[in-house]
């Protein structure tokens, strides 16, 4: 058996002009995957920031709620009784002008005596997290009102029901890092 030698071009096939296409396609795919990775990382950062802002808001909300409930308890127990001075967070509603003397919560930190700080019991226990500042509150004594179904007229009933004193409690609290402010208000009788 005799082997015949093959021509040179049969042993080594010729290279086609398309040999660099695979490298180009691989680079394009690598670029696309890199863009997807960068986009996913940015989305994670945004979601983390949103979560941190929500936690900060919740901390401020808890502090404001605790101060609001403590102020309502103080009204019931008689701690807050001197509203005639219109200072230090206790105000009387002015029926002649139809407004109260209390400045808006946004100016409480720059207006001395506009509000009182709440540092008492019921403040949220945040462990290592501290509030940027204690919640500020103001209580307004509003004009007395009649309870629905009762009469204040002595003519209609033998013994009239005395009017009920109503209070408006406004609390402003700042979250842990000072970027979130929560203002709550309740009408309390």
């Amino acid at each position: 058996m005799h082997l015949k030698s093959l021509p040179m071009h049969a042993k080594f096939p010729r290279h086609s002009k398309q040999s660099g296409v695979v490298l180009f396609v691989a680079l394009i795919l690598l670029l696309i995957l890199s863009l997807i990775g960068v986009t996913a990382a940015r989305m994670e950062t945004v979601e983390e920031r949103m979560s941190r802002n929500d936690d900060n808001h919740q901390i401020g909300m808890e502090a404001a709620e605790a101060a609001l409930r403590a102020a309502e308890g103080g009204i019931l127990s008689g701690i807050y009784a001197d509203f005639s001075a219109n200072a230090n967070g206790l105000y009387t509603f002015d029926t002649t002008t139809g407004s109260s003397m209390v400045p808006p919560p946004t100016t409480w930190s720059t207006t001395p005596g506009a509000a009182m700080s709440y540092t008492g019991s019921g403040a949220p226990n945040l462990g290592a997290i501290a509030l940027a500042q204690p919640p500020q509150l103001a209580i307004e004594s509003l004009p007395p009102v009649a309870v629905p179904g009762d009469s204040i007229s002595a003519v209609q009933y033998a013994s009239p029901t005395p009017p009920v004193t109503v209070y408006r409690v406004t609390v402003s609290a700042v979250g842990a890092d000072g970027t979130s402010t929560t203002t709550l208000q309740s009408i309390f009788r």
Side-chain angles (χ1 to χ4, degrees), residues 107-147:
T107 63
W108 285 357
S109 61
T110 58
T111 309
M116 63 183 106
S117 294
Y118 171 70
T119 57
S121 64
N125 183 5
L126 306 173
I129 300 172
L131 295 172
Q133 67 184 34
Q136 303 290 305
L137 65 104
I139 304 171
E140 300 168 87
S141 177
L142 300 176
V145 297
V147 176

Side-chain angles (χ1 to χ4, degrees), residues 29-176:
L29 288 175
L30 183 63
L31 178 67
I32 291 171
L33 290 175
S34 296
L35 288 174
I36 290 172
V38 168
T39 302
R42 280 191 177 177
M43 287 177 56
E44 287 297 320
T45 303
V46 169
E47 288 176 6
E48 179 184 343
R49 193 175 308 137
M50 287 172 39
S51 176
R52 186 174 45 244
N53 288 343
D54 185 52
D55 286 345
N56 189 35
H57 174 74
Q58 290 300 324
I59 289 168
M61 182 69 91
E62 288 175 18
E65 183 72 25
L68 186 73
R69 296 301 165 226
E72 290 173 348
I75 291 170
L76 284 176
S77 66
I79 293 174
Y80 306 119
D82 184 21
F83 292 90
S84 61
N86 282 334
N88 300 323
L90 301 176
Y91 297 92
T92 301
F93 189 79
D94 187 357
T95 56
T96 59
T97 61
S99 66
S100 73
M101 301 297 291
V102 65
T106 54
T107 63
W108 285 357
S109 61
T110 58
T111 309
M116 63 183 106
S117 294
Y118 171 70
T119 57
S121 64
N125 183 5
L126 306 173
I129 300 172
L131 295 172
Q133 67 184 34
Q136 303 290 305
L137 65 104
I139 304 171
E140 300 168 87
S141 177
L142 300 176
V145 297
V147 176
D150 290 343
S151 172
I152 57 172
S153 169
V155 175
Q156 188 175 4
Y157 297 101
S159 61
T161 305
V164 176
T165 304
V166 180
Y167 301 92
R168 178 171 38 205
V169 181
T170 306
V171 177
S172 179
V174 178

